[in-house]
Amino acid sequence: MSVFGRGQAERETALLAELTELTEHHRANSEQYDRILSSLGIKSGEPFDSLQSLPWLPVRMFKTHDLKSIPDDEVFKVLTSSGTTGGGASRIYLDKEAAGVQTRQLGATLQEVLGGKRLPMLMVDTISIIKNRRSFSARGAGVLGMATFGRGHVYALDENDQPDVEAVKEFLAKHGSEPFLIFGFTFMVWQYLYEVARDNELDLSNGILIHSGGWKKLIDIAVDNAEFRRRFAEDTGLTRIYNYYGMIEQIGTVFLEGPSGNSLYCPDFADVIIRNPDTWEEQPVGEPGVIEVVSTLPRSYPGHVLLTEDLGVVHGIDDGDWPGKRFSVLGRLPRAEARGCSDTFSGAVAS
């Protein structure tokens, strides 16, 4: 059953009920979260009339506070972000149930473009990134999370982060005549797969590429999403390309690019709200603003309603490849504005 089935009205009705319940759950199980809401004047049991009225946390708070809704002895896995944008690394606490749910829902989302079979998988990374199985970086968590959807994994980089051209050639000789899965972070895919495939005239036409990550390095060399797709198609034959937007603070929730390209879509258990950075009101279609992400998956920590540090725009509603909102990510907020988002909650929680 597709997780891209709900129209926007049905989605918002269902999510409002689930996210209201989750807000109460986290309030009852996280003293810090309860303190945040109380400081904002939000009473326990208070109803919300729309997704837009649910209280959000700045994603940066997970860099500065340990926010979890499970006892310490139930912590199964701790995920950490890269911390590259300053303010340390986010720490996300999962119990066994939460870890299982995020894997299942990620699988259900990706099944939309991968089908039900596990395909041979080319990882555009190094195996050393997943060596520590208890505490992962964001990159390691992404690689390990995606690895479960493939088989016969081959890594395109050696343990010194250098391209292993022979390994890629051997993989294609064995699996290249039938559908295979490729995963990597966007800039690494360009540098270590596209350039290698172009220079060695490798045929990737049966591949299905899932990729994500910042575009800044590629934009700096004049490669945007359309150019990325065009060059892969022309030089390697690869046309089934799906970008996605996600973050470790909502692990398991990914906003997937539709088959037509150039727009991201929300799975049925999630949504995005684009907020005006001055008024925090929801922006109309076509007007850029700060991306808020909501998801019913985070139950072991209060990450169900998050204000990101990214800019985005909704292009349309119920008018694309799949139902719901279709949107794009435009880039990071300027650092000063990002701090401003967090300042909204300053003093709400003791460090």
Side-chain angles (χ1 to χ4, degrees):
M1 183 176 174
S2 174
V3 296
F4 292 96
R6 284 177 175 168
Q8 192 60 29
E10 178 190 0
R11 176 192 308 268
E12 291 190 16
T13 298
L15 288 181
L16 180 60
E18 293 181 68
L19 292 169
T20 297
E21 185 277 325
L22 260 182
T23 299
E24 287 303 305
H25 163 79
H26 290 306
R27 190 159 202 168
N29 290 280
S30 170
E31 183 179 339
Q32 292 208 58
Y33 185 68
D34 177 56
R35 196 180 305 146
I36 292 168
L37 297 198
S38 295
S39 73
L40 296 172
I42 300 170
K43 298 181 176 62
S44 182
E46 184 173 318
F48 303 100
D49 59 9
S50 67
L51 292 184
Q52 292 77 7
S53 65
L54 288 162
W56 42 261
L57 294 184
V59 72
R60 181 171 289 258
M61 290 197 77
F62 290 90
K63 297 180 186 294
T64 56
H65 299 84
D66 276 342
L67 295 169
K68 59 182 181 290
S69 304
I70 51 175
D72 289 344
D73 61 2
E74 291 183 16
V75 173
F76 170 66
K77 189 178 291 184
V78 182
L79 306 179
T80 59
S81 67
S82 59
T84 55
T85 55
S90 292
R91 292 174 60 81
I92 303 302
Y93 295 88
L94 301 177
D95 58 10
K96 283 190 176 181
E97 181 182 359
V101 167
Q102 62 95 357
T103 300
R104 286 196 301 275
Q105 292 300 80
L106 178 60
T109 304
L110 296 177
Q111 189 171 332
E112 191 73 30
V113 297
L114 296 179
K117 288 200 312 182
R118 288 171 66 204
L119 300 174
M121 189 168 190
L122 181 63
M123 309 289 281
V124 189
D125 215 309
T126 169
I127 195 169
S128 62
I129 196 68
I130 59 170
K131 288 297 178 67
N132 184 346
R133 287 299 185 105
R134 178 168 170 81
S135 183
F136 293 117
S137 67
R139 181 175 143 199
V143 168
L144 193 73
M146 287 296 303
T148 60
F149 306 113
R151 60 179 174 83
H153 306 87
V154 168
Y155 289 81
L157 302 183
D158 63 24
E159 295 208 20
N160 296 315
D161 287 345
Q162 295 302 307
D164 191 339
V165 180
E166 289 308 309
V168 175
K169 286 182 176 179
E170 288 175 15
F171 175 89
L172 293 173
K174 186 174 182 180
H175 301 295
S177 61
E178 295 182 344
F180 60 92
L181 173 58
I182 308 167
F183 172 74
F185 293 94
T186 304
F187 184 72
M188 294 178 69
V189 166
W190 181 263
Q191 186 171 18
Y192 299 122
L193 182 64
Y194 166 73
E195 292 182 357
V196 167
R198 178 198 62 197
D199 294 347
N200 290 273
E201 299 183 345
L202 303 181
D203 180 5
L204 304 178
S205 58
N206 283 315
I208 304 171
L209 170 62
I210 308 287
H211 71 105
S212 183
W215 284 87
K216 186 178 185 306
K217 290 181 180 179
L218 287 180
I219 298 299
D220 289 346
I221 57 172
V223 177
D224 60 8
N225 191 27
E227 180 70 358
F228 183 93
R229 297 170 71 92
R230 184 186 72 79
R231 298 270 288 275
F232 257 110
E234 287 186 4
D235 295 338
T236 74
L238 181 64
T239 57
R240 286 174 287 181
I241 297 175
Y242 299 92
N243 187 23
Y244 74 85
Y245 175 62
M247 61 203 68
I248 204 165
E249 293 84 2
Q250 277 191 356
I251 190 74
T253 302
V254 296
F255 302 91
L256 191 62
E257 189 173 32
S260 301
N262 297 319
S263 283
L264 300 163
Y265 293 82
C266 310
D268 290 346
F269 51 87
D271 206 1
V272 296
I273 296 166
I274 306 298
R275 293 197 180 272
N276 182 304
D278 296 318
T279 66
W280 300 118
E281 294 298 313
E282 184 177 17
Q283 293 282 61
V285 171
E287 290 293 323
V290 185
I291 300 174
E292 176 187 315
V293 289
V294 303
S295 169
T296 61
L297 298 195
R299 196 165 186 89
S300 59
Y301 64 99
H304 56 309
V305 187
L306 298 178
L307 189 74
T308 74
E309 297 180 354
D310 296 318
L311 290 168
V313 61
V314 171
H315 300 298
I317 300 174
D318 293 334
D319 65 350
D321 294 332
W322 298 318
K325 292 175 181 173
R326 56 184 185 89
F327 71 101
S328 291
V329 179
L330 303 177
R332 306 281 301 174
L333 276 168
R335 186 67 57 85
E337 288 187 53
R339 283 200 299 269
C341 297
S342 297
D343 290 346
T344 306
F345 284 81
S346 63
V349 186
S351 297

